[in-house]
Amino acid sequence: MTEARGSAGRDGEAHARYAPGTPCWVSLMVHGLTTTEEFYGRLFGWEFRPGPQQLGPYVRALLDGREVAGIGQLPPDRRLPIAWTPYLASDDVDRTAETVRLCGGTIGVGPLDAAEAGRMAIGSDSSGAVFGIWQAAAHLGTNISGVPGTPAWNELLTFESVSVAKFYETVFGYERERAVSGDSDYVTLRVAGRPVAGIRGLGRTLPRDRGPHWLTYFEVADVEEALGLLSDLGGRVLAPARDTAHGRVATVADPEGARFALVRSPR
């Protein structure tokens, strides 16, 4: 679970521009912005400051003064699924959005300018999973990695990996690597040879109430301790902590139902 960056380190130094196709930001739209800030502020130690308001009230989460993620407030009449959305870097969001359409995806928002921060669009892939596209200007994206409270990995959960992997390969130019195990439907997406995201085919075990969707993993120092705090704050444990090849992992949801994963990466 490593991410390719323009010239990124794991010590929180400022990142250069993300290579196209690399997950560069994660954002969450909720109904209760203040209560959501309190939840993630307690869970991950985030602080918040206002961000671009093009889509309504929006804040950027900071860790040690470095930008980590974004949280916005939905209009009261919008009853959309509450979910973390990864943004994939692009050098030309308009061209990428057009390619999404040509490859069987849709664009629901944008492309539009986010003040001086950059240009963005939000769409869905050929299976219906929502993702964002980000063309950086003043705001490059997540500015710190490899420490507790930061995004560690993004993984698409879908019915089967092959067809949707072709979509992402065509749109973003990824290199694909299939899992060696014959009973695992998993594809790793690579940029310049480095793994940046994964696609996991779940078949009939894909949650019917969610459909295909992206899952963001956040780094924590201790998964069990984080699970206890999450429960105290009103979150839910969807899958208990387990050991994997990528570290100790648990799948959870925040009080509004947004799913994400906690991971303690191997050291």
Side-chain angles (χ1 to χ4, degrees):
M1 291 184 180
T2 57
E3 295 182 46
R5 306 178 184 273
S7 61
R10 293 179 62 85
D11 56 0
E13 293 184 0
H15 297 301
R17 186 177 298 272
Y18 283 77
T22 307
C24 61
W25 188 246
V26 290
S27 189
L28 175 66
M29 300 297 291
V30 298
H31 295 290
L33 182 56
T34 299
T35 55
T36 300
E37 286 182 49
E38 293 173 356
F39 173 83
Y40 286 101
R42 292 275 306 278
L43 183 63
F44 292 140
W46 290 350
E47 298 177 340
F48 301 90
R49 71 179 178 199
Q53 306 291 301
Q54 272 74 4
L55 300 179
Y58 188 85
V59 295
R60 289 178 182 162
L62 291 88
L63 188 66
D64 296 329
R66 304 290 178 85
E67 294 176 345
V68 175
I71 303 175
Q73 182 166 308
L74 288 166
D77 59 340
R78 297 294 297 274
R79 292 296 163 184
L80 299 175
I82 307 300
W84 280 101
T85 300
Y87 281 72
L88 308 177
S90 171
D91 287 339
D92 187 333
V93 69
D94 294 82
R95 183 177 61 196
T96 301
E98 181 60 25
T99 306
V100 167
R101 295 188 185 99
L102 292 172
C103 292
T106 61
I107 297 295
V109 177
L112 56 84
D113 290 326
E116 75 287 349
R119 190 162 172 79
M120 60 162 285
I122 301 175
S124 57
D125 63 29
S126 54
S127 73
V130 175
F131 65 96
I133 308 165
W134 183 252
Q135 180 181 341
H139 174 66
L140 297 179
T142 301
N143 200 241
I144 182 172
S145 60
V147 297
T150 61
W153 185 248
N154 288 280
E155 190 171 271
L156 173 61
L157 306 182
T158 188
F159 294 106
E160 56 85 25
S161 66
V162 175
S163 60
V164 74
K166 291 179 181 177
F167 168 88
Y168 285 98
E169 179 184 32
T170 303
V171 174
F172 293 101
Y174 293 122
E175 306 148 13
R176 290 184 288 154
E177 179 187 357
R178 288 192 61 81
V180 176
S181 173
D183 60 353
S184 177
D185 182 11
Y186 196 89
V187 170
T188 300
L189 301 177
R190 294 176 175 268
V191 170
R194 292 174 292 180
V196 298
I199 301 176
R200 184 182 299 278
L202 296 177
R204 294 183 180 179
T205 63
L206 182 73
R208 293 194 177 190
D209 61 330
R210 300 296 297 181
H213 63 281
W214 281 91
L215 182 72
T216 297
Y217 290 67
F218 289 96
E219 189 74 38
V220 293
D222 185 292
V223 173
E224 277 74 16
E225 183 177 321
L227 288 176
L229 178 57
L230 176 133
S231 297
D232 291 342
L233 295 171
R236 293 182 295 129
V237 179
L238 303 178
R242 61 198 184 280
D243 291 320
T244 74
H246 303 293
R248 193 154 180 79
V249 174
T251 306
V252 299
D254 69 18
E256 288 204 23
R259 301 182 181 208
F260 58 101
L262 305 173
V263 59
R264 172 66 162 87
S265 300
R267 292 294 188 265

